[in-house]
Amino acid sequence: MKRISSSRNRCLWSVSVFGFMGCLYCIHLLFMINQSLVFLPDETSEFPNNHDHNDDVDLASEEELKFPTFSSTGLATDGGANLLQKFLDKDSEIRTFIFPDATNAIDPRKGNDQFYYYPGRIWLDLDGNPIQAHGGGILYDKISRKYYWYGENKNGPTKAGLIKDLPRVDIVGVGCYSSNDLWTWKNEGIVLKAEETNKNHDLYKTNVLERPKVIYNEETGKYVMWMHIDNGYYNKAAVGVAISGSPTGPFSYLYSMNPHGFDSRDMTVFKDDDGTAYLFYDSLHNLDMHVSQLSRDYLHVTNVVKILVGKHREAPAVFKHRAMYYMITSGCTGWAPNEALVHVAESIMGPWEVLGNPCVGANKIFRDATFFSQSTFVLPMPGAPPGTFVFLADRWKPEDLRDSRYVWLPLTVEQEAYSESPGDPVIPEVSIYWHKRWKIPYKRSSNDSSSKFLIP
Ligand code: DGJ
């Protein structure tokens, strides 16, 4: 008996010792994993206080703002370049976080999570297909009282580009989606199609069509689309114009041009409150930007001024708040993300001043990479206090561009924000807040039975 009990004791003793050592080992392992690659709690995830004035924007809780820090060897010293490499490496461990798979796609056909934006998730249209409207913009059409989202349909295979390290998709055309609530999108089809046979046509499929934007001309009753037109080498560098009598097209392609004789790459159009419209376009290999007032019919450029001279910025997204003009831009790094900047001007023709990086929340690396996305458009947020906007950006997926994602986030402007010292002019503050999920404060039209109309 004694022998049995003492051997059992010995046995229990060794089990405990090994168990204890095993536990220590597991703790050590977890610690190592944490240190070497995956998610550490983020000390910068606190929600900024200066957002309080927008309490009625249905913002996610602080819990939702928790953002992983990708801690990997060298990150602290290389200023994030390593992370950029990981972003570009399709096999890297950060990919599942940056490009979540289809299991948690935003699907408006399902009732749960209604109206919530999840930046970076696959977003399905009402047919259950991923939305194809990259590099896009939104038009609110007062006639149909609907929102239209236009963008690049990139639903084709990604091929090696003619320029080294710059993959591309053949032109499919400009996709158009309509919505009453900015969340549920009906596919209206391809409103400007690629040209399949005529190799000399601007829209011939092996060319480039990027960043289409549509504005409505009250005087002519026409919807006018401006877009970046290029060849596969990106050395045509032109801007194209198309026109339609309906927001859902079809759009007739008119022509392309090198505005004012300059090369033109990333671009956007902005329609001011008085109906005057402007074209912003990058020139001199993106070194300078130009802004030009459009003719009354929006089909031609008129006078031009240089802005952001020598600044090398891309992806302009222009908006206005209380008589001041703002613009978000990106740096120039192909499909890879980089730091956004916000610029401000009293006159749309300049001078434009740089305010800095508007990204807030998450962690530094993600703020410095615009939450792994690139600006494309800024839309006044319906139902929210003045100065609240929706920032629209693209999270490009270079090896499979059709699976690029959308990053929509709240943006606020505080015009009485701060002055550098007493008596100095007040500097406005523009902030784009990271949210894992968020939704627009829906103010619905009371006389609309569908109760789904968002009032702009
Ligand atoms: C960045 C631009 O903003 C995009 O529209 C596209 O032209 C890519 N570069 C191509 O690398």
Side-chain angles (χ1 to χ4, degrees):
M1 276 299 272
K2 214 174 166 193
R3 272 174 65 168
I4 293 173
S5 106
S6 79
S7 80
R8 188 195 288 144
N9 280 347
R10 262 206 311 276
C11 186
L12 278 173
W13 169 243
S14 22
V15 166
S16 318
V17 168
F18 281 114
F20 180 67
M21 283 171 65
C23 276
L24 277 182
Y25 182 70
C26 286
I27 291 168
H28 175 72
L29 207 63
L30 280 173
F31 183 73
M32 292 298 286
I33 289 172
N34 220 11
Q35 284 299 303
S36 62
L37 36 102
V38 244
F39 310 137
L40 289 171
D42 174 19
E43 72 283 9
T44 60
S45 66
E46 231 167 76
F47 200 73
N49 291 335
N50 60 359
H51 202 251
D52 287 352
H53 72 293
N54 278 327
D55 274 351
D56 50 348
V57 177
D58 185 359
L59 299 165
S61 65
E62 269 189 30
E63 186 55 28
E64 298 291 351
L65 291 166
K66 291 230 182 329
F67 206 87
T69 297
F70 296 103
S71 166
S72 60
T73 349
L75 242 189
T77 50
D78 72 1
N82 193 13
L83 192 69
L84 213 55
Q85 284 313 315
K86 281 176 189 268
F87 173 84
L88 295 172
D89 171 7
K90 62 182 172 28
D91 300 318
S92 102
E93 75 277 7
I94 74 164
R95 275 314 192 89
T96 48
F97 174 77
I98 303 282
F99 294 104
D101 66 17
T103 48
N104 51 20
I106 305 169
D107 188 349
R109 297 165 310 163
K110 293 186 185 154
N112 55 345
D113 264 358
Q114 247 198 340
F115 304 126
Y116 275 103
Y117 299 103
Y118 286 88
R121 286 194 186 179
I122 293 171
W123 193 349
L124 304 180
D125 65 17
L126 282 174
D127 300 323
N129 298 315
I131 292 171
Q132 285 293 332
H134 309 282
I138 307 263
L139 165 82
Y140 177 73
D141 179 44
K142 288 184 186 151
I143 302 166
S144 57
R145 297 173 65 218
K146 280 186 184 170
Y147 294 92
Y148 293 91
W149 180 1
Y150 302 91
E152 302 156 36
N153 183 313
K154 288 185 130 34
N155 198 7
T158 298
K159 305 170 176 172
L162 296 176
I163 298 179
K164 193 176 167 284
D165 296 334
L166 198 61
R168 66 181 303 282
V169 175
D170 275 356
I171 301 180
V172 177
V174 177
C176 172
Y177 295 80
S178 64
S179 176
N180 294 326
D181 58 24
L182 287 172
W183 188 78
T184 316
W185 294 96
K186 175 178 176 239
N187 187 358
E188 299 285 356
I190 305 212
V191 294
L192 180 69
K193 288 197 170 72
E195 165 63 38
E196 292 292 326
T197 45
N198 179 0
K199 291 190 174 172
N200 298 321
H201 197 286
D202 280 351
L203 302 182
Y204 184 62
K205 55 192 175 185
T206 57
N207 287 333
V208 166
L209 187 175
E210 288 178 346
R211 299 189 172 269
K213 304 286 178 295
V214 175
I215 47 178
Y216 177 67
N217 189 299
E218 266 87 12
E219 281 185 32
T220 61
K222 298 287 185 200
Y223 297 82
V224 182
M225 181 187 293
W226 286 75
M227 69 211 96
H228 172 190
I229 291 292
D230 228 315
N231 57 26
Y233 293 99
Y234 280 86
N235 61 14
K236 181 179 172 80
V239 68
V241 188
I243 192 165
S244 173
S246 153
T248 52
F251 280 76
S252 311
Y253 188 74
L254 299 180
Y255 40 72
S256 67
M257 62 173 116
N258 288 118
H260 314 99
F262 290 110
D263 57 326
S264 167
R265 292 187 172 83
D266 276 12
M267 44 63 65
T268 194
V269 284
F270 174 76
K271 182 175 166 184
D272 211 338
D273 308 327
D274 64 357
T276 315
Y278 300 84
L279 170 72
F280 288 74
Y281 64 95
D282 271 335
S283 297
L284 307 168
H285 290 272
N286 302 331
L287 200 61
D288 299 352
M289 197 177 281
H290 285 104
V291 54
S292 172
Q293 189 174 322
L294 296 182
S295 54
R296 287 184 65 164
D297 58 9
Y298 300 167
L299 299 180
H300 306 280
V301 287
T302 64
N303 55 327
V304 67
V305 292
K306 266 185 193 295
I307 57 169
L308 313 189
V309 176
K311 297 280 188 276
H312 223 102
R313 305 299 297 169
E314 272 189 334
V318 181
F319 56 105
K320 185 181 186 182
H321 177 54
R322 289 209 191 114
M324 298 273 272
Y325 299 89
Y326 297 88
M327 173 165 46
I328 310 282
T329 61
S330 76
C332 305
T333 49
W335 301 116
N338 54 53
E339 187 180 34
L341 287 179
V342 58
H343 315 257
V344 64
E346 280 175 22
S347 155
I348 196 162
M349 303 301 271
W352 285 81
E353 263 177 61
V354 182
L355 290 179
N357 181 349
C359 298
V360 178
N363 62 49
K364 182 164 171 15
I365 291 160
F366 282 77
R367 286 194 298 274
D368 288 354
T370 321
F371 312 118
F372 280 84
S373 66
Q374 186 186 30
S375 44
T376 185
F377 198 75
V378 174
L379 174 78
M381 191 188 293
T388 316
F389 297 81
V390 186
F391 169 71
L392 278 66
D394 297 286
R395 182 174 287 170
W396 301 111
K397 193 180 199 182
E399 81 280 7
D400 187 12
L401 285 161
R402 82 175 109 196
D403 191 31
S404 300
R405 308 295 171 84
Y406 309 103
V407 172
W408 287 27
L409 288 167
L411 176 155
T412 63
V413 182
E414 289 181 85
Q415 279 181 336
E416 280 87 50
Y418 66 96
S419 25
E420 273 173 350
S421 41
D424 279 3
V426 170
I427 301 169
E429 192 159 272
V430 176
S431 311
I432 300 169
Y433 294 89
W434 170 253
H435 286 80
K436 187 172 151 197
R437 77 173 199 151
W438 69 283
K439 68 179 177 182
I440 294 176
Y442 281 82
K443 256 189 207 144
R444 300 183 185 285
S445 156
S446 50
N447 58 8
D448 182 358
S449 54
S450 77
S451 84
K452 272 201 168 171
F453 276 94
L454 254 187
I455 305 167

